[in-house]
Amino acid sequence: MGRIIGIDLGTSNSVVSCLENNEPKVIVNEEGSRLTPSVVGFSKKNERFVGEIAKRQMVINPENTVHSIKRFMGKRFDEATEATRMVNYTVVPTERGGVGVKVNGGVYSPQEIAAMILSRLRKSTEEMLGEKVTDAVITVPAYFSDNQRQATKDAGSIAGLNVVRIINEPTAAALAYLLAKRRSATIGVYDFGGGTFDISIVEVADNVAEVKATSGNTRLGGDDIDQRIIDWLLAEFQAEYGIDLTHDKMVMQRLKDAAERAKMELSSALQTEIHLPFLTADESGPKHIHKTLHRPHFEAMIEDLLFKTIVECRKVLSEARLSPSDIDEVVLVGGSARIPRVQEMVKELFSRPINKSFNPDEVVAIGAAVQAGMLEGNLPDIQLLDVTSLSLGLEIEGGQFARVIPKNTVIPCRRKKVVSTITDQQRSVKINVLQGEAEIAQDNISLGEFELTGIAPAPRGVPRIEITFSIDVDGVVNVRARDRNTGQSQGIVIRSFAGLTQKEVSALREEQRQREEEASTNREVRRLRNALERQIFDLEKLLHQHRDELQKSDVSEIEKALQRGRMALIKSTDRVAYFREIHDYMYEFYMSLATRFGP
């Protein structure tokens, strides 16, 4: 195992970090930025662009530009209806009921789109470090289900990464705090990102970060705040002109960009101007939007969203059996935490200082790098005790949910539950594995089903079926059932049936590898073609300057070489070896002349 990098795969932006001499270092991408927009664009020729270049084409090509893919990771299509309203590309159901993203006539899973982002992050890291990277720690929202965690691991695998650990985002922020502060404290990590919200209470002491409780909402983030501004603009436009803009995806993308800018500007200004000319036109001429949004109005339109985060904060304090006064410090994470009203509400609840010494956009990736250093053995004195964010159990008679591993249990963990048959002479038992907090089974997330067969016939309630649940350090679930009487057993490594099979993941990883090799070959061909063009120019220049001093046979040979070089440039081939051979051939002629006549 080589160097392990830490990746914060965000809804809006992604960040990579690693340790250099046990100090975190944020990777700078090709554009010179520490943030890479989590955006993938497709051209008409099906070329792929990731990051800032993809984000720039969102307005002119919204249907083929994919953003906020994290909100669809590991979800069934019927769970993603709300999120589809916030994007301008086409989302369709897959055969297994999962989410598919339709661009350029093809359909991609969220894992594939996320893999394109991760692949770009990996390549940026390799270029900056000058070494190959294969291992990574990837962060996820604390309230991600097993399905969503599995989908994230699959995305990493497709991108050519060995995901050695999945770590919760607030936990990662706590590790960054621990490395920087090295003091005892009970901290609240308030993580309000582009698509999700998490709150965790973490006790930091003696180089140990122990998560006491965590809570959150995977359907609440900066995108929802942007949508409130968009809805306001749409309503104002409709009232003024009587025109519905929602069916024009290019206009909707312009509104989304304007809403995001307005939100960001209102973090430092008391008002902002939203000016969008030529949105549409009718018989009377072009129609524009020119509105002034004041901070109090903005805060009023999002107050209920922000209050939801405070509800989760109160819930997590209760689960940790703590009061606000027990919290020493609050660490803010995520771009949405920059909103002044957010900071006011957090201060009002905790009556404690907000730690602003960390960059909210980078602290999670830094914490992931700290976890990577722990796994590498470079930070042996730091320990982490994390918890499961959702209860795990099974469906029992009457459609009820029976908890086996309660929420906020320290992981890794293993628990057992004994069940029996519900009818006489029953020969098999179906096990429906669930994750969530609802008392009714169908209101929770079904992680999968399997059947234990070969049970000896007996009256109902007599057979003793032992079911073992385990959650590993990544939060990934395994379940096994065994008939104590017959010894018959059946197990399942839970995988989302709305997601990808291992075979599909392997095939997509190979496809991604081939695509990267092809892209690398194309880059090398372009480099050699450029070098060959320069070589021809330099050789022509030398020949022009010294033609009179050369013998006719030499001139003829050089002209033949030049002709061969020019023909190579117009030849349709992508063979690196061919261009390298021609380049080297031309170089020999150039060096013979340069040596003979000097520079």
Side-chain angles (χ1 to χ4, degrees):
M1 182 184 292
R3 187 197 297 254
I4 307 174
I5 61 174
I7 299 177
D8 173 14
L9 180 62
T11 304
S12 304
N13 296 290
S14 295
V15 185
V16 191
S17 182
C18 64
L19 291 187
E20 289 280 357
N21 299 318
N22 290 348
E23 290 295 326
K25 172 183 180 181
V26 176
I27 301 298
V28 176
N29 63 25
E30 290 88 337
E31 287 90 17
S33 175
R34 295 153 76 94
L35 296 181
T36 299
S38 302
V39 182
V40 179
F42 295 79
S43 71
K44 292 180 180 178
K45 297 180 180 179
N46 214 34
E47 297 171 303
R48 299 174 186 175
F49 311 101
V50 178
E52 191 60 43
I53 187 172
K55 189 174 181 179
R56 286 197 294 268
Q57 78 157 32
M58 286 175 71
V59 171
I60 60 172
N61 192 12
E63 290 187 320
N64 292 317
T65 308
V66 184
H67 60 91
S68 300
I69 197 63
K70 188 172 176 178
R71 298 193 82 144
F72 298 108
M73 292 287 284
K75 287 189 175 181
R76 302 180 185 88
F77 184 77
D78 58 6
E79 297 173 324
T81 306
E82 184 180 342
T84 60
R85 186 170 167 262
M86 300 180 191
V87 300
N88 293 312
Y89 49 88
T90 303
V91 179
V92 298
T94 63
E95 291 181 0
R96 298 193 194 99
V99 174
V101 176
K102 190 174 183 179
V103 288
N104 280 356
V107 177
Y108 298 85
S109 67
Q111 294 93 313
E112 291 174 82
I113 299 295
M116 296 172 197
I117 299 168
L118 290 170
S119 180
R120 162 70 189 278
L121 298 174
R122 175 176 57 80
K123 286 185 283 187
S124 296
T125 305
E126 289 176 341
E127 289 180 10
M128 183 170 175
L129 299 179
E131 60 184 77
K132 189 171 179 61
V133 172
T134 57
D135 301 307
V137 171
I138 301 180
T139 64
V140 297
Y143 238 53
F144 254 24
S145 69
D146 183 80
N147 292 344
Q148 293 169 303
R149 292 169 190 272
Q150 289 280 8
T152 303
K153 291 192 78 171
D154 289 345
S157 181
I158 294 168
L161 289 167
N162 173 35
V163 183
V164 295
R165 184 66 48 85
I166 293 287
I167 181 174
N168 294 335
E169 289 165 4
T171 305
L175 285 176
Y177 179 96
L178 177 60
L179 183 69
K181 300 295 183 180
R182 297 283 184 168
R183 67 182 182 85
S184 298
T186 299
I187 63 172
V189 182
Y190 180 100
D191 186 354
F192 200 5
T196 59
F197 171 74
D198 287 317
I199 175 69
S200 291
I201 305 299
V202 186
E203 192 173 279
V204 178
D206 299 325
N207 294 327
V208 177
E210 181 179 358
V211 181
K212 308 302 289 186
T214 190
S215 191
N217 187 335
T218 58
R219 298 180 179 180
L220 176 61
D223 286 352
D224 302 272
I225 293 172
D226 296 344
Q227 192 63 43
R228 289 294 174 88
I229 301 177
I230 294 169
D231 291 343
W232 171 67
L233 292 172
L234 287 170
E236 290 287 302
F237 194 87
Q238 177 100 31
E240 185 172 355
Y241 299 113
I243 299 175
D244 181 6
L245 297 174
T246 57
H247 302 297
D248 189 325
K249 292 192 174 184
M250 193 174 293
V251 169
M252 290 300 293
Q253 187 58 53
R254 290 181 66 188
L255 290 174
K256 182 172 179 60
D257 288 352
E260 185 179 10
R261 284 195 304 272
K263 175 187 67 177
M264 295 171 70
E265 288 171 8
L266 287 171
S267 290
S268 56
L270 293 177
Q271 66 180 51
T272 182
E273 299 292 323
I274 301 175
H275 183 51
L276 295 170
F278 303 102
L279 280 179
T280 188
D282 62 11
E283 301 81 10
S284 62
K287 300 291 180 283
H288 324 288
I289 282 180
H290 193 174
K291 296 291 178 184
T292 300
L293 180 58
H294 298 270
R295 187 189 286 178
H297 184 193
F298 168 64
E299 291 175 347
M301 70 170 67
I302 65 169
E303 185 79 5
D304 63 313
L305 296 177
L306 304 188
F307 184 71
K308 288 180 180 179
T309 72
I310 300 303
V311 170
E312 294 297 335
C313 291
R314 289 172 178 158
K315 183 194 298 183
V316 82
L317 284 169
S318 175
E319 291 172 350
R321 295 182 174 83
L322 297 172
S323 67
S325 61
D326 294 319
I327 306 302
D328 298 304
E329 212 168 0
V330 179
V331 177
L332 296 183
V333 181
S336 301
R338 288 190 170 95
I339 297 173
R341 181 59 183 147
V342 166
Q343 298 183 11
E344 289 174 8
M345 294 176 79
V346 172
K347 285 180 181 177
E348 288 168 6
L349 173 64
F350 290 99
S351 300
R352 288 292 181 273
I354 292 175
N355 187 315
K356 295 186 178 181
S357 62
F358 297 99
N359 184 326
D361 296 320
E362 299 177 357
V363 64
V364 169
I366 289 171
V370 174
Q371 173 72 92
M374 294 163 61
L375 295 173
E376 291 171 322
N378 295 327
L379 297 173
D381 57 328
I382 295 181
Q383 297 181 53
L384 170 64
L385 296 174
D386 209 346
V387 298
T388 176
S389 55
L390 293 165
S391 297
L392 182 69
L394 71 160
E395 182 176 357
I396 58 174
E397 189 176 2
Q400 298 296 302
F401 175 52
R403 287 176 178 79
V404 179
I405 299 180
K407 175 185 178 182
N408 293 323
T409 300
V410 176
I411 57 174
C413 60
R414 181 186 296 267
R415 298 285 189 278
K416 294 180 180 180
K417 184 174 182 63
V418 176
V419 299
S420 188
T421 53
I422 59 175
T423 61
D424 294 338
Q425 314 305 315
Q426 190 173 328
R427 301 296 300 269
S428 65
V429 172
K430 183 177 286 186
I431 311 295
N432 183 13
V433 182
L434 302 167
Q435 196 170 39
E437 307 307 321
E439 298 302 322
I440 304 300
Q442 67 178 13
D443 294 336
N444 291 306
I445 301 167
S446 177
L447 301 184
E449 295 182 348
F450 68 100
E451 193 169 8
L452 176 64
T453 59
I455 299 172
R460 60 170 292 178
V462 172
R464 313 308 290 165
I465 312 300
E466 183 181 83
I467 306 177
T468 303
F469 292 75
S470 63
I471 304 177
D472 66 17
V473 290
D474 295 320
V476 175
V477 177
N478 288 268
V479 182
R480 176 163 291 276
R482 182 176 69 89
D483 183 352
R484 285 181 174 178
N485 296 327
T486 66
Q488 189 77 11
S489 67
Q490 177 66 44
I492 180 173
V493 176
I494 300 296
R495 293 194 60 81
S496 169
F497 54 77
L500 302 172
T501 65
Q502 281 296 331
K503 186 176 181 180
E504 288 170 332
V505 170
S506 298
L508 288 169
R509 178 170 183 160
E510 178 61 22
E511 181 183 315
Q512 178 69 17
R513 186 190 65 79
Q514 291 176 359
R515 182 179 286 273
E516 288 182 9
E517 285 185 358
E518 182 181 332
S520 177
T521 297
N522 291 338
R523 283 195 298 271
E524 181 65 6
V525 166
R526 286 196 297 271
R527 187 190 70 79
L528 287 169
R529 285 179 65 90
N530 291 337
L532 181 56
E533 286 179 346
R534 289 194 301 270
Q535 203 68 72
I536 291 172
F537 175 80
D538 292 341
L539 187 55
E540 284 177 333
K541 185 178 178 181
L542 275 177
L543 178 60
H544 177 73
Q545 291 173 342
H546 303 289
R547 180 183 286 271
D548 294 341
E549 303 169 56
L550 293 168
Q551 295 182 5
K552 288 184 178 181
S553 59
D554 291 335
V555 171
S556 177
E557 286 296 315
I558 293 169
E559 287 181 337
K560 286 180 181 178
L562 286 168
Q563 181 64 18
R564 186 178 178 189
R566 294 189 195 101
M567 291 298 295
L569 290 177
I570 64 174
K571 191 168 183 179
S572 178
T573 180
D574 60 356
R575 289 176 52 232
V576 171
Y578 172 76
F579 282 104
R580 185 172 286 125
E581 176 190 346
I582 300 299
H583 174 269
D584 293 347
Y585 169 75
M586 298 291 297
Y587 183 72
E588 288 180 12
F589 276 93
Y590 172 77
M591 287 304 297
S592 66
L593 282 182
T595 303
R596 185 170 171 183
F597 297 109

